[in-house]
Amino acid sequence: MTTTEAHPSDPARSDDHGAARARLLAEPGLGGAARRAALSRLSDRWLTGLYREAGAPAGTALVAVGGYGRGELSPRSDLDVLLVHEGPVDPQLPERIWYPVWDSGAALDHSVRTLDEARAVAAEDLKAQLGLLDARHIAGDAALTASLRSTLLADWRASAAQRLPELQQLCAERAERHGELSFLLEPDLKEARGGLRDVVALNAIAATWLADAPRDGLDAAAARLADVRDALHLATGRATERLSLQDQDQVAAGLGVLDADTLLRQVYEAARTITYASDVTWRAVDRVLAARSGRGRRISRIAFPFSGVGRGSGAVAKGTVDRRPLAEGVVEQDGEAVLAQGARPAQDPVLPLRAAAAAAQAGLTVSYATVRRLAAETRPLPVPWPDEAREQLVTLLGAGEACLPVWEALEAEGLITRLLPDWERVRCRPQRNAVHRWTVDRHLIETAVRAAAMTRRVARPDLLLVAALLHDIGKGWPGDHSEAGEVIVRDVAVRMGFDKDDTDTLALLVRHHLTLVDTATRRDPDDPATVDAITKVVGTLSHLELLHALTEADATATGPAAWSTWRASLVANLAGLAAARLAGGVTYPPAGEPTAEEERLAVEAGRTGAPALSLLAQAEQGEGGTEPMGVELTLAIPDQPGLLGTVAGVLALHRLAVRSAGLRELDPVGAGPVLLLSWTVAAEFGELPEAARLRADLRRALDGSLDVARKLAERDAAAPKRRGIATPPPVVSVAPGASSSATILEVRAHDAPGLLHRIGRALDAAGVRVRTAHVSTLGADAVDAFYVTDPAGLPLEPAHAREVAKAVQTALG
């Protein structure tokens, strides 16, 4: 027996209806969707009685629309009702129905229309059309209601190509006005992005039969927001949608939730599920509409798997569409990153990070089906992580703004907490501080986004990005979050495979990420003790540069109130004073003694006058055995102009990415200097060239029979243009006082195919000799140092050094 059946009364009497409603709302154990449905049934019986008492003739029907039409009445929801009629109707009829509702104090949204009038209103007013899509019969002529529903649905489907872009714009404008539900301290549960209005929009898209949302967790998320709204209505006694701070404790208690923070986390989690489903669905709609307009491939409908990976395997079917390789196992298709046909997630634990990094660097996101497949099939990373995994994480973070949608896709399927278990404690955690505009986890990734624009300011961009991602990881633990974060980040850094020095640096940055700004704003910068306090903390100029960049990234990611011109100037001034105290030039580790193999190659090159090389495959030991990491290429060549750029160009032609490189002079036989180049390279797409072919191309390039620059230009011209991301411009500088025997040029740039080739050619064109080089690729950033001299072997004059640096920067664009 239902609740309303237990209390029979005259449904047409307002006082009886009010009493029955009050009893229903007070009934123990009745809540959630069951109570919303019971409220809808009670209202149905009441309105049915009023309709009959009003003497409604044949050819009329009373229809519930909107939330009432869906049977989802919250305690203070409006009754949204349409009286539809075929022919003339008594003008007093609607009032005989509406007046008892008004007299009861219930909120009523009403209209009276013929079928043609309803169609005309729907065609003109998108919001009205959305409400009518949920039309449900209450009383009267059921056939008339059925005709209304079928006609409006047919109109909606027929006009989908025109109405869906309008709906998308409506959703975007609403999000702009009300913000993102996932991050607001006082969110609007209905209107904010990720709220109940977006669920209505997703259902409307599904009704077009063009696309459907990924349904896993969507209904539960919508139900959770509706439950919170119900509790909010009961707590306030008002039809409000805004979860104000002063109401959150009472709402949490009404729902049996531990506290207001737990309530907000549940709201944020639900909103993120809805937001992600919306993003995925609107991308599908865009593809369908592009195909129908002839701007894309023909697609009849986009469907998403409801469970498992089934139809949405994430692999690219053969012979369907154009595919462009992005990375090993990853290709671009329809504006998204998907798995290549030969990808094997179960055998490649780095694949999720590789796919994410490749997508972000290309300005794409990872397709829904691909993320689902990666989550279902990929095994956990071994501990410590392989070098490639750490590099791919840094590459992902280094993409800046383009990282955000990729990160959200990974997080939606649980891949982030699988990679970083400590992330779970900060995920969706609110920050009850007016300065902060984001939850803790979103603040962390936003800080990494800001840091990505500052990578040219530091010698270790990888440490900057990882520190930005983890600097507040201690929030949610007892005590000072900086102290807790230091402990956590040491463990995380070791699991990621950072060595002891790098782990210590990350721990320092996390422990002291507030020290620079606090000292700058609270201490006298002219007091020598103030500068001493900072230099004692950082210890080195490199650490100071990292801390300064992290401080700025953290503050700008917090919100407008956390960073101002005044505060920035105070921090910059203190950092400058500390840098002057720490200044001592840049140093690079000296090369060790040559190995027996290096000496053998140098002797051979000096004796024959031709290049001598060896290739040695690298591997790392993981849980599943050894994993290929790249190739150690050692090359000995008699010194000659343009050597560095030529060799780098040959490697680029063979699609070998340079992870690190070193260059130094040897004189093993007294027959003139031999340059020894030690490279760590990896194939872009997993196919290493044959050693014999690589050796032959190097010889041809050195004797001039292979024009490397022309071949690279032809390949670049033939490659399809792909949108990329904005990256910080390259920085080429002269390191002051770093060496007495050579001038050191430092190059910090976004890594790209042929980068080292362009640098080498620019140095050669400038007429300088490269005596030693230290080349490293850190994620998506190249950080290189070149010891150069003039033809006589002397350091460059300062003006000449500046000219060479400018020439290299010009060559890099």
Side-chain angles (χ1 to χ4, degrees):
M1 180 176 293
T2 65
T3 302
T4 51
E5 289 169 346
H7 307 282
S9 60
D10 180 0
R13 291 177 56 86
S14 298
D15 52 349
D16 289 342
H17 170 74
R21 185 176 178 280
R23 287 193 296 270
L24 189 153
L25 292 176
E27 182 169 332
L30 183 64
R35 182 171 59 199
R36 289 189 289 275
L39 280 172
S40 298
R41 291 194 298 269
L42 180 64
S43 299
D44 285 356
R45 285 193 287 274
W46 181 34
L47 290 173
T48 297
L50 294 176
Y51 173 85
R52 290 171 179 167
E53 283 191 356
T60 62
L62 198 60
V63 181
V65 297
Y68 182 27
R70 295 188 297 274
E72 298 175 353
L73 276 184
S74 287
R76 294 289 175 175
S77 290
D78 292 355
L79 295 176
D80 201 348
V81 184
L82 167 66
L83 179 64
V84 62
H85 60 96
E86 288 184 312
V89 68
D90 180 0
Q92 301 301 314
L93 173 64
E95 295 185 358
R96 291 197 293 272
I97 302 173
W98 310 148
Y99 267 106
V101 180
W102 291 329
D103 290 342
S104 74
L108 178 69
D109 191 351
H110 60 89
S111 58
V112 182
R113 295 190 178 98
T114 65
L115 179 58
D116 288 341
E117 288 170 343
R119 293 181 68 188
V121 168
E124 291 294 325
D125 186 341
L126 178 58
K127 293 181 180 178
Q129 186 169 43
L130 294 175
L132 288 168
L133 291 177
D134 294 312
R136 179 176 57 81
H137 183 69
I138 298 176
D141 188 343
L144 183 57
T145 302
S147 178
L148 173 73
R149 277 185 53 82
S150 61
T151 301
L152 289 172
L153 280 170
D155 289 347
W156 175 243
R157 288 164 187 150
S159 62
Q162 293 75 43
R163 301 315 297 268
L164 286 181
E166 185 182 348
L167 176 58
Q168 189 173 21
Q169 180 63 29
L170 191 68
C171 291
E173 292 171 354
R174 177 166 43 78
E176 182 67 25
R177 287 194 306 273
H178 297 280
E180 292 198 55
L181 178 51
S182 301
F183 309 116
L184 297 170
L185 276 176
E186 295 187 304
D188 188 308
L189 300 169
K190 187 175 184 179
E191 302 292 344
R193 183 170 184 254
L196 293 168
R197 285 281 191 205
D198 280 337
V199 178
V200 173
L202 290 174
N203 290 335
I205 294 171
T208 64
W209 293 350
L210 294 181
D212 192 12
R215 291 287 166 178
D216 282 358
L218 183 59
D219 290 342
R224 189 56 182 164
L225 292 187
D227 290 348
V228 174
R229 179 174 66 172
D230 289 357
L232 180 62
H233 284 190
L234 292 173
T236 62
R238 296 180 290 109
T240 180
E241 312 293 341
R242 185 170 297 281
L243 187 58
S244 299
L245 289 172
Q246 64 267 24
D247 299 322
Q248 290 174 10
D249 287 325
Q250 191 175 353
V251 171
L255 292 169
V257 173
L258 178 63
D259 55 28
D261 276 5
T262 304
L263 171 68
L264 278 182
R265 290 191 78 172
Q266 292 180 356
V267 168
Y268 293 161
E269 288 170 353
R272 288 193 189 183
T273 298
I274 295 168
T275 298
Y276 180 60
S278 298
D279 290 343
V280 170
T281 306
W282 281 118
R283 288 200 300 270
V285 169
D286 289 341
R287 290 197 298 274
V288 172
L289 296 184
R292 289 193 165 193
S293 66
R295 292 183 288 112
R297 72 184 180 99
R298 187 166 186 78
I299 306 173
S300 59
R301 183 175 186 268
I302 297 292
F304 299 101
F306 297 141
S307 62
V309 293
R311 293 172 292 150
S313 68
V316 183
K318 292 182 179 178
T320 53
V321 292
D322 291 336
R323 302 185 299 276
R324 299 175 183 175
L326 295 175
E328 176 63 19
V330 189
V331 298
E332 177 186 349
Q333 174 186 317
D334 288 329
E336 295 179 322
V338 303
L339 296 186
Q341 189 68 27
R344 297 293 181 265
Q347 302 170 21
D348 188 354
V350 183
L351 186 55
L353 281 172
R354 191 186 310 121
Q361 287 292 325
L364 309 172
T365 190
V366 185
S367 80
Y368 171 75
T370 294
V371 179
R372 292 292 303 276
R373 184 180 173 194
L374 289 170
E377 298 183 22
T378 309
R379 59 186 174 88
L381 283 168
V383 177
W385 289 8
D387 287 348
E388 187 198 357
R390 189 173 61 255
E391 292 167 2
Q392 296 294 355
L393 173 64
V394 172
T395 302
L396 169 62
L397 298 175
E401 290 283 351
C403 168
L404 290 173
V406 177
W407 189 272
E408 290 169 354
L410 297 184
E411 190 169 54
E413 296 299 331
L415 284 166
I416 296 301
T417 49
R418 184 189 299 181
L419 290 166
L420 303 170
D422 298 284
W423 195 260
E424 182 61 31
R425 190 174 280 264
V426 298
R427 189 174 66 84
C428 292
R429 179 171 291 278
Q431 305 202 76
R432 295 187 177 277
N433 184 323
V435 172
H436 280 277
R437 57 183 299 197
W438 307 110
T439 54
V440 177
D441 59 333
R442 181 58 181 262
H443 169 69
L444 291 174
I445 190 64
E446 287 283 347
T447 303
V449 166
R450 302 304 192 282
M454 304 175 189
T455 52
R456 303 296 176 265
R457 291 167 44 176
V458 298
R460 288 297 301 274
D462 55 334
L463 297 182
L464 172 62
L465 292 168
V466 173
L469 180 69
L470 301 176
H471 74 279
D472 276 347
I473 199 70
K475 288 190 173 178
W477 291 87
D480 187 315
H481 77 277
S482 297
E483 295 178 0
E486 179 185 5
V487 176
I488 295 168
V489 82
R490 284 187 179 278
D491 177 64
V492 174
V494 170
R495 281 191 278 121
M496 286 182 175
F498 284 105
D499 63 24
K500 183 182 183 305
D501 287 344
D502 289 349
T503 297
D504 289 344
T505 299
L506 288 170
L508 181 150
L509 293 172
V510 171
R511 174 67 181 87
H512 292 286
H513 69 272
L514 297 175
T515 298
L516 189 58
V517 68
D518 286 348
T519 305
T521 55
R522 298 176 184 177
R523 300 272 297 271
D524 179 5
D526 295 326
D527 184 348
T530 302
V531 179
D532 287 343
I534 294 300
T535 56
K536 185 176 180 180
V537 165
V538 298
T540 68
L541 184 60
S542 176
H543 287 166
L544 177 64
E545 290 175 346
L546 286 166
L547 188 61
H548 187 188
L550 175 60
T551 299
E552 185 174 339
D554 181 20
T556 54
T558 297
W563 197 246
S564 62
T565 303
W566 169 77
R567 184 164 294 199
S569 66
L570 289 178
V571 170
N573 180 57
L574 179 56
L577 293 172
R581 185 80 58 85
L582 294 168
V586 179
T587 59
Y588 292 89
E593 291 297 319
T595 65
E597 176 66 6
E598 289 172 342
E599 287 186 341
R600 184 190 68 79
L601 293 172
V603 169
E604 180 182 341
R607 179 174 55 81
T608 64
L613 67 86
S614 69
L615 288 171
L616 178 63
Q618 283 186 315
E620 275 198 338
Q621 188 70 29
E623 291 180 350
T626 57
E627 299 178 6
M629 285 300 301
V631 171
E632 287 281 3
L633 168 62
T634 305
L635 179 65
I637 309 178
D639 193 8
Q640 62 185 78
L643 193 57
L644 178 64
T646 299
V647 174
V650 172
L651 297 180
L653 275 179
H654 284 267
R655 298 192 181 278
L656 290 171
V658 179
R659 287 181 173 165
S660 63
L663 180 152
R664 55 179 165 154
E665 289 184 347
L666 295 178
D667 193 0
V669 291
V674 171
L675 288 186
L676 184 71
L677 298 96
S678 302
W679 310 73
T680 301
V681 297
E684 288 184 29
F685 304 110
E687 294 294 331
L688 291 170
E690 296 179 358
R693 182 178 176 189
L694 180 60
R695 184 182 290 107
D697 283 350
L698 282 169
R699 285 174 173 160
R700 292 172 56 214
L702 292 170
D703 68 22
S705 60
L706 174 62
D707 189 337
V708 175
R710 182 176 62 82
K711 286 289 186 182
L712 286 172
E714 289 174 352
R715 190 180 71 183
D716 291 344
K721 299 301 180 184
R722 181 189 293 123
R723 65 175 183 174
I725 58 171
T727 60
V731 173
V732 183
S733 59
V734 181
S739 172
S740 59
S741 60
T743 298
I744 300 182
L745 292 182
E746 289 190 324
V747 180
R748 300 174 183 177
H750 189 76
D751 190 33
L755 174 69
L756 196 53
H757 169 66
R758 296 199 299 277
I759 294 172
R761 291 191 68 195
L763 293 174
D764 184 48
V768 298
R769 294 179 57 203
V770 179
R771 287 184 46 198
T772 309
H774 297 269
V775 175
S776 58
T777 302
L778 304 169
D781 293 297
V783 181
D784 305 336
F786 303 92
Y787 286 65
V788 299
T789 67
D790 63 18
L794 299 174
L796 307 183
E797 292 295 328
H800 186 199
R802 290 192 295 270
E803 291 175 1
V804 174
K806 184 177 180 180
V808 174
Q809 184 145 355
T810 300
L812 298 182

